[in-house]
């Protein structure tokens, strides 16, 4: 199990926030830059609660440039995003890249010829590359301090870029499309397919594993790392309010195929890596992935469990529905129920932040974390992320359901296929 040790400076009781910032500043010396933010959990305004630090200071946040066309403006973050090497690819089942797609038209290869983005006979799927980035995160009092670096530094870890053998990877392949079972029972990431629904966790795990040994659920550390990058790029804890709400309000009981209830089929969207609309009834995308931006279906994340009210996590994509091999965090939720609106997020070192109950839930769909939380503190609950087309603005990157066991299934529960490249392989 990968272990993270915080520096002694950050362990002292009563440390001043300026001391923590000075510590992070010292780590920024030498090669490269650091970009980060402080999230002040005591401030409810989603923009005022985010303060830039490091080389993020002075950056212009992202915005929706034209909601009618879905065009998003990257502000002055384009250089940072390009360093992530975030581009669309067709990738073999073994995690080795086959060929790149055009950034603005996934139906074409770079040379203009037709791609396999919707070809169910293709021996792989459509994924977007995220280059390895190192992250430092700690919570001191009410302040959560997050910093990113493309260079390894003291107290920075490759969170989300470590496989089950604890190999540090060059990057990961995030799914461009919702996981969709094909006729052979494989959970595919391809355009044109209907996302998986009405399946329990073990079915989803079997379908994902059928694609190959390097396939995992989209969740765990990479979901938390990209969540914080989104917060940083938007300079807001209300990410959908800045770059698009997706299909969070598209519920339609009469939708076809029967039983999908408004969950739209995987589709190719234009405008490069971002597509942001505000109707609440359209697919959106972040980082070339509609899974991250559409909010139309809960995504199963078995790498974060709530076991009798305590968060337990896997930092390397280990699948264990008992949670016995997971790290016990000591972070407990006090009551079952929901919908709760958290305003306080606490760091699990080496994993990311989780919502907790601190002096009650003071947020809303527009305050605090801006996303909903549902809880059951009896038994083992498997995390569900993002919300669904039934939940409206309660959905979002931080929306979390820890109130369903592994055997529960629903039309609005799905899964997405994260693909880990072999160690040493990059885009």
């Amino acid at each position: 199990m990968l272990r993270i040790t915080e520096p002694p400076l950050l362990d002292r009781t009563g440390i001043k926030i300026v001391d923590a910032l000075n510590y992070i500043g010292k780590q920024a010396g030498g090669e490269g830059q650091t970009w980060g933010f402080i999230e002040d959990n005591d401030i409810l305004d989603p923009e005022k609660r985010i303060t830039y630090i490091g080389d993020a200071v002075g950056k212009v946040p992202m915005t929706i440039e034209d909601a009618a066309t879905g065009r998003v403006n990257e502000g002055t973050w384009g250089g940072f995003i390009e360093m992530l090497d975030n581009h669309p690819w067709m990738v073999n089942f073994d995690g080795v890249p086959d060929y790149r797609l055009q950034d603005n038209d996934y139906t074409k290869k770079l040379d203009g010829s037709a791609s396999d983005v919707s070809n169910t006979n293709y021996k792989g799927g459509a994924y977007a590359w995220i280059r390895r980035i190192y992250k430092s995160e700690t919570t001191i009092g009410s302040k959560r301090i997050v910093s990113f670096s493309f260079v390894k530094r003291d107290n920075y870890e490759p969170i989300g870029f470590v496989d089950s053998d604890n190999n540090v990877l060059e990057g990961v392949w995030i799914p461009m499309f919702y996981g969709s079972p094909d006729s052979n029972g494989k959970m595919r990431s391809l355009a044109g397919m209907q996302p998986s629904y009405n399946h329990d966790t073990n079915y989803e795990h079997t379908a994902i594993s059928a694609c190959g040994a390097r396939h995992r659920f989209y969740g765990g550390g990479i979901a938390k790392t990209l969540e914080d990058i989104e917060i940083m790029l938007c300079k807001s804890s209300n990410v959908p309010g800045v770059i698009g709400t997706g299909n969070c309000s598209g519920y339609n009981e009469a939708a076809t195929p029967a039983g999908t209830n408004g969950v739209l089929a995987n589709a190719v969207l234009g405008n490069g890596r971002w597509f942001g609309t505000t109707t609440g009834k359209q697919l959106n995308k972040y980082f070339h992935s509609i899974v991250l931006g559409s909010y139309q279906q809960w995504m199963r994340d078995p790498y974060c469990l709530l076991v009798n009210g305590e968060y337990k996590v896997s930092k390397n994509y280990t699948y264990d529905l008992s949670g016995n091999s997971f790290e016990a965090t000591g972070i407990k939720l006090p009551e079952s129920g929901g919908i709760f609106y958290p305003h306080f997020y606490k760091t699990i070192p080496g994993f990311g932040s989780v919502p907790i109950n601190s002096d009650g839930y003071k947020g809303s769909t527009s305050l605090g974390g801006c996303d909903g939380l549902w809880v059951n503190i009896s038994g083992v609950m498997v995390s569900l992320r993002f919300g669904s087309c039934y939940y409206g603005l309660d959905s979002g990157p931080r929306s979390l359901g820890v109130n369903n066991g592994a055997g529960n299934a629903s039309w609005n529960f799905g899964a997405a296929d994260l693909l880990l490249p072999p160690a040493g392989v990059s885009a």
Side-chain angles (χ1 to χ4, degrees):
M1 177 82 58
L2 183 71
R3 310 294 277 183
I4 309 298
T5 302
E6 293 187 355
L9 176 62
L10 300 185
D11 287 339
R12 294 205 311 262
T13 302
I15 184 172
K16 296 180 180 178
I17 191 68
V18 67
D19 292 334
L21 294 181
N22 287 339
Y23 177 83
I24 289 176
K26 290 176 183 177
Q27 306 310 304
E31 182 184 359
Q33 298 173 290
T34 61
W35 301 262
F37 63 90
I38 300 171
E39 179 175 26
D40 191 330
N41 287 294
D42 285 341
I43 297 176
L44 298 183
D45 185 305
E47 295 178 2
K48 292 180 180 178
R49 71 189 266 131
I50 305 299
T51 302
Y52 281 161
I53 58 176
D55 291 287
V57 174
K59 289 286 190 183
V60 177
M62 294 177 63
T63 58
I64 290 180
E65 189 172 291
D66 187 342
T69 64
R71 191 166 63 245
V72 171
N73 189 315
E74 292 183 343
T76 56
W77 282 102
F80 170 87
I81 296 168
E82 283 302 320
M83 292 179 72
L84 288 169
D85 202 16
N86 176 226
H87 297 288
W89 289 75
M90 297 304 296
V91 185
N92 297 315
F93 281 133
D94 61 3
V96 176
D98 188 1
Y99 60 85
R100 237 186 83 177
L101 304 172
Q102 291 188 8
D103 282 348
N104 294 305
D105 187 352
Y106 307 145
T107 67
K108 294 183 175 61
K109 301 179 182 180
L110 285 182
D111 65 7
S113 60
S115 78
D116 295 284
V117 73
S118 58
N119 178 11
T120 56
N121 292 318
Y122 179 76
K123 304 302 182 182
Y127 299 86
W129 181 250
I130 299 290
R131 172 192 166 190
R132 180 179 68 230
I133 190 169
Y134 297 91
K135 181 184 181 187
S136 171
E137 179 181 349
T138 190
T139 301
I140 303 174
S142 65
K143 310 269 194 311
R144 191 172 70 92
I145 307 166
V146 178
S147 185
F148 295 97
S149 170
F150 288 100
V151 178
K152 180 70 175 77
R153 307 177 189 281
D154 291 345
N155 197 42
Y156 284 70
E157 297 293 331
I159 298 172
F161 299 94
V162 178
D163 68 13
S164 300
D165 295 319
N166 288 331
N167 295 307
V168 177
L169 307 175
E170 299 301 313
V172 295
W173 299 108
I174 64 171
M176 290 171 60
F177 301 103
Y178 286 99
S180 306
D182 66 11
S183 59
N184 297 312
K186 293 181 177 179
M187 191 75 82
R188 309 298 297 278
S189 174
L190 293 170
M193 301 184 74
Q194 189 68 38
S196 173
Y197 61 99
N198 286 339
H199 296 302
D200 66 16
T201 311
N202 277 325
Y203 173 94
E204 294 163 347
H205 178 247
T206 299
I208 288 172
S209 299
C211 293
R214 304 300 291 175
H215 293 256
R216 303 290 188 272
F217 286 81
Y218 177 77
I222 191 60
K224 302 306 298 180
T225 291
L226 290 179
E227 174 188 303
D228 274 337
I229 289 177
E230 291 164 13
I231 290 171
M232 182 173 70
L233 298 179
C234 295
K235 202 179 183 183
S236 174
S237 58
N238 187 9
V239 171
V242 176
I243 52 174
T245 53
N247 186 31
C248 68
S249 299
Y251 178 75
N252 176 6
E253 190 174 3
T256 54
T260 56
N261 292 355
V263 177
L264 301 174
N266 291 330
V268 170
L269 305 178
N271 293 346
R273 61 177 61 91
W274 313 104
F275 194 94
T277 59
T278 56
T279 66
K281 299 186 178 185
Q282 297 172 254
L283 295 174
N284 285 358
K285 63 177 176 177
Y286 307 161
F287 298 108
H288 291 293
S289 172
I290 66 171
V291 178
L292 275 64
S294 292
Y295 307 119
Q296 69 164 350
Q297 198 176 33
W298 288 106
M299 290 291 99
R300 194 95 59 173
D301 179 2
Y303 312 122
C304 180
L305 306 179
L306 193 71
V307 181
N308 295 320
E310 179 184 5
Y311 286 111
K312 293 190 174 183
V313 301
S314 168
K315 298 176 181 178
N316 62 358
Y317 305 110
T318 295
Y319 185 75
D320 176 6
L321 293 181
S322 72
N324 290 337
S325 65
F326 285 14
E327 180 171 316
T329 67
I331 300 174
K332 296 184 178 181
L333 299 181
E335 59 181 320
S336 298
I339 180 174
F340 301 122
Y341 293 102
H343 72 284
F344 201 103
Y345 293 78
K346 187 170 183 178
T347 298
I348 298 174
F351 184 79
S353 67
V354 290
I356 66 170
N357 183 5
S358 176
D359 300 323
Y361 293 85
K362 299 178 181 177
S364 70
T365 57
S366 60
L367 297 173
C370 300
D371 297 334
L373 172 68
W374 291 257
V375 179
N376 185 343
I377 62 174
S378 299
V380 180
M381 304 295 124
V382 180
S383 287
L384 296 165
R385 298 199 178 279
F386 302 147
S388 82
C389 61
Y390 186 76
Y391 284 92
L393 296 179
D394 294 334
S395 301
R398 286 177 148 179
S399 190
L400 183 64
V402 279
N403 61 332
N404 282 271
N408 290 7
S410 170
W411 66 268
N412 63 345
F413 293 3
D417 176 39
L418 175 72
L419 178 52
L420 305 180
V425 171
S426 62

